[in-house]
Amino acid sequence: MLRTVITATATAALGLAVGCAPDTGAPVKVSALVLNSNGEYVPQEVELKTVSDIISLNGSVADFRGGARIVLDSEDQDLATATTPEAFANALLKEKGHDVKASYIEQDGVLWPADFHTWNMVTAYHGLERAFDYFQTVGNIPSADFKKPVTTYYFPEFVLADVDKDPQRDNALYFSVMESFLVLPFDQLQRAPLAINAGIIAHEYSHRVYNLKVYNGQAFPQTLSLWSTSTPSPGANILKSFDEGLADYHAYGTTCRTTTGCDPRFFNTSFHDDPYDDIATARDLSNTSRCMTDNLRTQLNNQGLGEFSGKEYTVGTLLATALYQAGQNAGQREVLMRAVVAAYSDTNPQTPGLRQLSEQYLNEQGKFTLAVAAGAIITHVTDPKLKEAVCNELMDHLQIPRDELVGTPNPNLCPPSSLPGTTCPTLTTEG
Ligand SMILES: [Zn+2]
């Protein structure tokens, strides 16, 4: 039976005091939209463990903000004259927005969203909390490393003035410049708006973790900024490709911790219909026959970041599917996921992370090759069987030359028994 109606919006509008507001702190039982085994998002009772205010959706993982306006415009003088990342972020934010106000109906101790936006926001918060939990538990990242709650702009007006005068739609993104998530209004993607798709929310959360670890939390990552000013920019192209591929890989990892189990096709529920269905197909991690091509490798090595834009997903998917297969075949999925997170940053000179390697080659990005970047992952895999599986899949699908991974004393990354699989044709050009 429906008992208590808690509608913060209505009470505020009428000037009434909230006389019997519930205890809004964590843990709180709410109904959110969760994927069931039929591929549908249906109401399911979940517990939010990190929320401190269920009405404004504020907690240790995320802090929701509504009504913001964010404009990126190359003609904007405020942006041109900003001298610090903070000033730049402030100049982007034309309207700061306000706390969101979720509305619920309480039924037997469970809060049921009372309107569409509350369903959407609670489900997004739950997705962010699941991703946080994955990186803490599987990724072994200490709580303190996550820094402050991530400001999450809900349905902001996000204008990329150089591209389109109208606000962007149908996207969810981690915007490192503002250290924030943006959950944009939807237009075409109504079947499962991106805020509802926990896999997509986890993909964005993974970008946040990659930024914190590989880029040391910099709003304008030093390596990426410097490397992308030259053409070609192979190091920048590889950093971006790893960022995208590993975001899909970890998003897949979060799906394995749900009642419906691992879902390598998590994009499918949002990008099901034309013209978006090709995204779901292109990023399906369980497709085991993807291969680096001569053409793609030439582009990776010879294009600047702008020209390469879009192909970081293709290269990233090759990496993600290679890791997916290695983890599955060795029966060590979570062990490998933890090793991948450990590879982001490691100050041990014997096992340098992506951050340390990219900083080491700051002035010679050509040395930050696929083999070097993949090497950061390989050195963090300790189990010999799993290490060999990772090496074999990377040599096969990414076509990393064997002699860049195997051999003593250098490079000494992969065991001598490693041999590329035979799924992909061997490339003839130089790597
Ligand atoms: Zn992404």
Side-chain angles (χ1 to χ4, degrees):
M1 201 186 98
L2 302 179
R3 289 198 311 241
T4 320
V5 179
I6 309 145
T7 311
T9 323
T11 49
L14 296 169
L16 302 173
V18 181
C20 51
D23 174 7
T24 58
V28 55
K29 286 181 184 164
V30 294
S31 193
L33 296 172
V34 178
L35 195 63
N36 71 8
S37 52
N38 292 328
E40 297 159 335
Y41 291 90
V42 293
Q44 184 183 306
E45 182 185 320
V46 300
E47 198 170 66
L48 296 182
K49 300 183 183 73
T50 67
V51 76
S52 52
D53 187 330
I54 192 69
I55 304 290
S56 64
L57 284 167
N58 187 357
S60 58
V61 169
D63 180 7
F64 276 57
R65 306 281 296 166
R69 179 174 163 79
I70 299 158
V71 181
L72 184 57
D73 181 350
S74 61
E75 313 260 287
D76 186 341
Q77 282 309 302
D78 292 343
L79 291 178
T81 54
T83 52
T84 63
E86 293 77 15
F88 192 88
N90 280 333
L92 285 169
L93 195 56
K94 302 305 179 193
E95 297 280 348
K96 284 187 172 11
H98 45 71
D99 279 346
V100 299
K101 286 179 178 159
S103 301
Y104 303 92
I105 296 162
E106 189 190 341
Q107 183 180 23
D108 301 330
V110 180
L111 299 177
W112 282 72
D115 57 51
F116 168 76
H117 285 296
T118 303
W119 279 112
N120 209 29
M121 292 190 295
V122 162
T123 301
Y125 193 99
H126 179 237
L128 291 168
E129 191 175 282
R130 264 180 37 178
F132 165 81
D133 184 60
Y134 163 88
F135 279 105
Q136 195 177 35
T137 311
V138 178
N140 201 29
I141 297 179
S143 306
D145 289 12
F146 291 93
K147 300 210 313 193
K148 60 187 183 192
V150 188
T151 302
T152 301
Y153 291 102
Y154 179 75
F155 277 39
E157 268 191 45
F158 181 50
V159 180
L160 299 172
D162 300 335
V163 181
D164 191 347
K165 64 177 173 24
D166 293 325
Q168 300 288 304
R169 297 195 175 269
D170 287 324
N171 209 347
L173 56 148
Y174 178 64
F175 195 31
S176 73
V177 173
M178 295 179 72
E179 295 185 71
S180 301
F181 294 116
L182 309 186
V183 176
L184 304 186
F186 56 84
D187 180 12
Q188 303 291 319
L189 297 176
Q190 302 200 1
R191 187 167 177 270
L194 302 182
I196 303 236
N197 187 325
I200 289 174
I201 292 291
H203 172 103
E204 299 313 323
Y205 198 88
S206 303
H207 284 317
R208 160 82 175 167
V209 172
Y210 191 89
N211 179 278
L212 285 175
K213 293 289 178 185
V214 179
Y215 300 139
N216 197 25
Q218 295 165 345
F220 297 90
Q222 186 193 20
T223 39
L224 200 57
S225 302
L226 182 67
W227 289 356
S228 62
T229 57
S230 58
T231 300
S233 63
N237 300 347
I238 288 170
L239 278 176
K240 281 290 235 186
S241 299
F242 270 54
D243 194 359
E244 289 304 336
L246 297 177
D248 279 358
Y249 178 63
H250 291 304
Y252 158 72
T254 64
T255 67
C256 295
R257 296 162 59 75
T258 61
T259 50
T260 46
C262 293
D263 180 10
R265 288 176 281 269
F266 62 85
F267 281 104
N268 213 20
T269 48
S270 289
F271 298 115
H272 184 74
D273 304 314
D274 190 59
Y276 297 97
D277 50 348
D278 56 338
I279 297 176
T281 307
R283 311 251 302 259
D284 173 357
L285 295 196
S286 61
N287 177 339
T288 57
S289 59
R290 289 201 186 82
C291 301
M292 177 64 85
T293 62
D294 273 322
N295 193 26
L296 184 58
R297 186 159 71 182
T298 302
Q299 291 167 326
L300 181 75
N301 289 330
N302 297 333
Q303 290 186 335
L305 191 60
E307 198 185 350
F308 186 69
S309 179
K311 287 159 232 157
E312 68 271 31
Y313 296 99
T314 316
V315 176
T317 304
L318 295 174
L319 173 66
T321 47
L323 294 172
Y324 168 86
Q325 286 181 71
Q328 298 297 114
N329 295 344
Q332 300 198 58
R333 189 184 67 236
E334 289 202 344
V335 175
L336 181 54
M337 288 170 171
R338 179 176 286 216
V340 170
V341 175
Y344 283 8
S345 177
D346 185 348
T347 54
N348 181 343
Q350 302 301 316
T351 53
L354 288 169
R355 177 182 161 195
Q356 288 71 26
L357 289 163
S358 55
E359 287 174 354
Q360 180 185 337
Y361 297 126
L362 187 62
N363 295 312
E364 39 188 353
Q365 65 172 307
K367 292 191 175 172
F368 187 76
T369 59
L370 273 181
V372 166
I377 294 174
I378 293 164
T379 57
H380 286 85
V381 178
T382 48
D383 180 84
K385 183 165 161 262
L386 181 60
K387 192 193 279 275
E388 187 176 320
V390 170
C391 288
N392 295 352
E393 298 296 346
L394 290 173
M395 284 190 260
D396 195 0
H397 296 280
L398 279 169
Q399 287 289 298
I400 299 175
R402 186 171 181 275
D403 61 6
E404 291 184 29
L405 295 175
V406 180
T408 48
N410 289 310
N412 199 23
L413 293 165
C414 289
S417 54
S418 309
L419 285 170
T422 52
T423 305
C424 296
T426 307
L427 296 189
T428 48
T429 56
E430 279 299 300

